[in-house]
Amino acid sequence: MGTITQNSELLFLYDAKMCNPNGDPDDENRPRFDPDRERCLVSDVRLKRYIRDYLEEKGHTIYVTKAEGVVQATDRIKQVLGKDDVSGADLPALLARLIDVRLFGATMPIKGAKKGEGEAVNLTGPVQFAWGYSLNRVQMVDSVTISSQFATREQAGQGTFGKDYRIYYALIGFHGVISARRAQAMLARADGNEAAATSDADIELLDEAMVNAIPLAATRSKIGQYPRLYLRVVFTDGETFAGDPREDLTVNPDQNLRSVKELTLDLTALGGRLVRFKERIARVLVFQDADLRTTAAGREVKAAGWLAELLGADKVKTIERT
Amino acid sequence: MLVFDLTGPMAHFRKYYTNTSALTYGFPPRTALMGIVAAVLGFERDSYYEKLDRGRFAVAVKVPPRRLFQTVNYVRTKREDLPLLRRLQRLPGTQTPLEFLFPGGEYRALRFRVFFGYPDGGLVREAAARLREGRPCFPLYLGLTECLASASYVNLFGPRDYEPLPPGTPVALTSVLNAAHLEKVDLPAVSAARLLRERAPYAFGPGRTLRPPVAVVYEAGGQPLPVRLRVPAYRFSLATAGDGETVAFLEG
């Protein structure tokens, strides 16, 4: 499989129950929050961290990793290549090894051929995510103080208190795009080396990571998160984008929620958007969790079956969690 | 003259002079507008600065934005930080407070209306066709890649389809104004406006070096601004937006 030639648009919904989907490091690690609209926020970086950790666990080499300890970005590049003298000519070799850079791009400190030239290589990856936000109004858990058996100082003689902020329930939506033109630009930067540009196989790994990564990232603040819906709309060309699908979604009810079983997700308007682009949609990959109830035009449907009605059964393919 | 809307849930147009905190303008400055047109037409990064500098740009803020800070971790690439990091035995990255624009009031998305003209009409028509069909060459962003944007085509005006208003005419300006073109603000006509004056990037030179920025004036809530200008303003009649828009191009 070669470099991708078709654009995709992604919709990814996962939920967070009694946990902290993404803390703000400068705000006592409180969940990122838009107080005016009562929406929980999750950065694109948090989502990409799940994907990177999953891919690393599967044995892929990752550029932005913690596994090698504290390193400077330059040292990380040297580790990956196993040599000290890294120049712009090594870019194809780096890209061929680093799947996260092939997907998301990176800023890599690589010296150019001439002195003072090309201090950093900026690569915009074909896969980009907007920040996620909750489709429902979210409430914070009131009780936030926790006690610890461990002391902060050696002579303290007693444990210490800390803060632990959580939310009750958020259904979080992400929008992403995959740009074939960006992958082709990456291929050009890698001197036409196909192993160094985003391939269909890379994107299939991304699909796998999207539906599997989050439940595996079960640290204390992240237990209680499950993927609920993943749609990847693949277009027939490398230029089409249909726009942010989250604008089309409504959660009923949209407040005081505590669990996925208390809500239904209305997909009706999303259908309108996809039908407008029907001729240019090659296929849609769908994952839907059994606990998420979805409706369209007033009746309960499964996303895959409903999309097959709208776009044709041959265009819809379902993905399962492994 | 091509008119299109840029929409998205969040935006960040970094002020060029900020360092420890990344602050944002309330609108896409001229360099960002250039980059968006370049992305629609498929011009690569760093390849279009001279070419698109010949274009004419105006932008109107259609949804009043509000501002929200989120602190983000960036990967450290500087050697100076390393001794400290090694002592801490972890990699906290570099934490940067990042200011975002969010839609204000009951709006679900930010909306900026862009006016773009170019000496070569073919280029404008190609951009218009791409936006009408939903086929930008590259994905569009409101300032950062994590602020994905959608563009929707509004209209394509021929040279005689919009009305020039001579300098000095009292106008209710809906666009962001280059302060150099301002003769006076008609203050008695303003009831509750909040005027902002900021220095914003105007153009890039070779190698992405910033050309001297210009001062711009705009109303923070996106309300029309009663002004008299030293340059012509232009009146566009739009079926979709009530009584249309009166804009001044950043170039004059």
Side-chain angles (χ1 to χ4, degrees), chain A residues 24-26 32 34 36-37 44 72 128-131 175 179 181 185 237 239-241 243-244 246 280, chain B residues 9-10 44 66 70-71 77-79 82 95 102 130 133-139 141 145-146 148 150:
Chain A
D24 186 331
D26 203 31
R32 295 189 187 278
D34 173 357
D36 279 51
R37 296 197 63 225
D44 62 311
Q72 194 190 8
Q128 297 295 340
F129 292 102
W131 276 41
H175 169 218
S179 163
R181 289 279 299 249
D237 61 69
E239 292 173 344
T240 298
F241 291 108
D244 193 338
R246 296 172 298 180
R280 281 188 265 163
Chain B
M10 291 165 78
E44 267 293 343
R66 68 195 154 82
Q70 291 290 314
T71 299
T77 55
K78 293 270 191 294
R79 184 169 288 279
L82 273 186
Q95 294 184 350
F102 279 75
R130 287 191 166 277
E133 293 167 17
R135 260 188 227 277
C137 288
F138 292 118
Y141 311 115
T145 52
E146 56 264 44
L148 291 175
S150 304

Side-chain angles (χ1 to χ4, degrees), chain A residues 32-263:
Chain A
R32 295 189 187 278
F33 206 67
D34 173 357
D36 279 51
R37 296 197 63 225
E38 300 165 70
R39 308 290 154 160
C40 176
L41 302 172
V42 178
S43 72
D44 62 311
V45 180
R46 175 61 265 185
L47 180 65
K48 289 187 279 197
R49 182 82 263 156
Y50 291 123
I51 296 165
R52 286 184 166 114
D53 288 351
Y54 178 84
L55 294 175
E56 187 159 47
E57 191 86 350
K58 299 267 294 185
H60 298 273
T61 313
I62 298 292
Y63 172 55
V64 186
T65 179
K66 291 180 180 176
E68 307 293 330
V70 177
V71 293
Q72 194 190 8
T74 323
D75 297 333
R76 178 72 191 129
I77 289 174
K78 289 174 186 167
Q79 281 174 357
V80 170
L81 288 177
K83 63 176 191 174
D84 271 352
D85 186 22
V86 179
S87 74
D90 295 310
L91 187 63
L94 270 175
L95 282 168
R97 299 230 178 129
L98 299 169
I99 185 171
D100 60 333
V101 182
R102 290 203 299 279
L103 292 172
F104 308 130
T107 296
M108 298 201 275
I110 301 176
K111 300 271 188 295
K114 285 181 230 152
K115 200 181 176 204
E117 185 197 77
E119 287 291 304
V121 172
N122 280 301
L123 275 172
T124 307
V127 182
Q128 297 295 340
F129 292 102
W131 276 41
Y133 57 80
S134 65
L135 304 175
N136 62 311
R137 293 173 190 272
V138 170
Q139 290 163 294
M140 300 269 214
V141 177
D142 288 336
S143 165
V144 297
T145 302
I146 52 167
S147 61
S148 163
Q149 278 301 106
F150 294 109
T152 45
R153 287 173 296 124
E154 215 172 310
Q155 293 86 12
Q158 61 188 26
T160 188
F161 288 103
K163 295 289 178 194
D164 182 47
Y165 297 93
R166 284 163 193 259
I167 55 161
Y168 280 108
Y169 182 79
L171 181 64
I172 296 159
F174 270 94
H175 169 218
V177 296
I178 305 179
S179 163
R181 289 279 299 249
R182 284 254 171 263
Q184 297 297 331
M186 193 175 271
L187 183 66
R189 290 278 288 269
D191 305 323
N193 179 352
E194 289 228 326
T198 324
S199 66
D200 291 312
D202 291 341
I203 301 298
E204 280 177 20
L205 270 173
L206 175 73
D207 289 334
E208 183 189 323
M210 295 295 287
V211 301
N212 288 296
I214 285 181
L216 300 178
T219 58
R220 208 176 67 96
S221 71
K222 300 288 182 280
I223 283 182
Q225 300 197 121
Y226 294 94
R228 298 301 182 185
L229 185 69
Y230 175 62
L231 297 184
R232 178 155 74 86
V233 180
V234 186
F235 298 103
T236 51
D237 61 69
E239 292 173 344
T240 298
F241 291 108
D244 193 338
R246 296 172 298 180
E247 288 173 21
D248 305 326
L249 303 176
T250 339
V251 171
N252 296 310
D254 87 327
Q255 52 193 336
N256 297 321
L257 289 168
R258 294 290 182 269
S259 139
V260 67
K261 303 209 171 176
E262 295 173 10
L263 65 90

Side-chain angles (χ1 to χ4, degrees), chain B residues 209-228:
Chain B
T209 50
L210 194 59
R211 290 265 166 78
V214 299
V216 297
V217 175
Y218 64 106
E219 206 284 319
Q223 293 182 51
L225 192 57
V227 287
R228 287 163 210 242

Side-chain angles (χ1 to χ4, degrees), chain B residues 40-155:
Chain B
V40 171
L41 293 168
F43 302 155
E44 267 293 343
R45 182 188 167 102
D46 296 347
S47 72
Y48 59 83
Y49 302 143
E50 209 171 311
K51 188 181 174 88
L52 288 185
D53 196 29
R54 294 164 61 210
R56 283 156 68 73
F57 297 89
V59 60
V61 179
K62 301 306 292 175
V63 166
R66 68 195 154 82
R67 291 158 184 264
L68 184 68
F69 271 101
Q70 291 290 314
T71 299
V72 296
N73 275 318
Y74 287 133
V75 174
R76 284 181 190 255
T77 55
K78 293 270 191 294
R79 184 169 288 279
E80 300 86 87
D81 302 320
L82 273 186
L84 175 72
L85 285 179
R86 291 221 166 93
R87 268 211 312 281
L88 292 173
Q89 283 301 305
R90 64 195 183 98
L91 183 62
T94 172
Q95 294 184 350
T96 306
L98 184 57
E99 187 185 35
F100 285 106
L101 300 178
F102 279 75
E106 290 303 301
Y107 291 99
R108 283 188 75 168
L110 295 163
R111 182 177 293 268
F112 301 100
R113 179 156 294 165
V114 183
F115 299 76
F116 169 63
Y118 196 72
D120 168 11
L123 186 143
V124 179
R125 281 191 298 276
E126 192 197 333
R130 287 191 166 277
L131 290 176
R132 238 189 327 248
E133 293 167 17
R135 260 188 227 277
C137 288
F138 292 118
L140 306 180
Y141 311 115
L142 292 175
L144 296 176
T145 52
E146 56 264 44
C147 301
L148 291 175
S150 304
S152 51
Y153 170 85
V154 176
N155 209 344

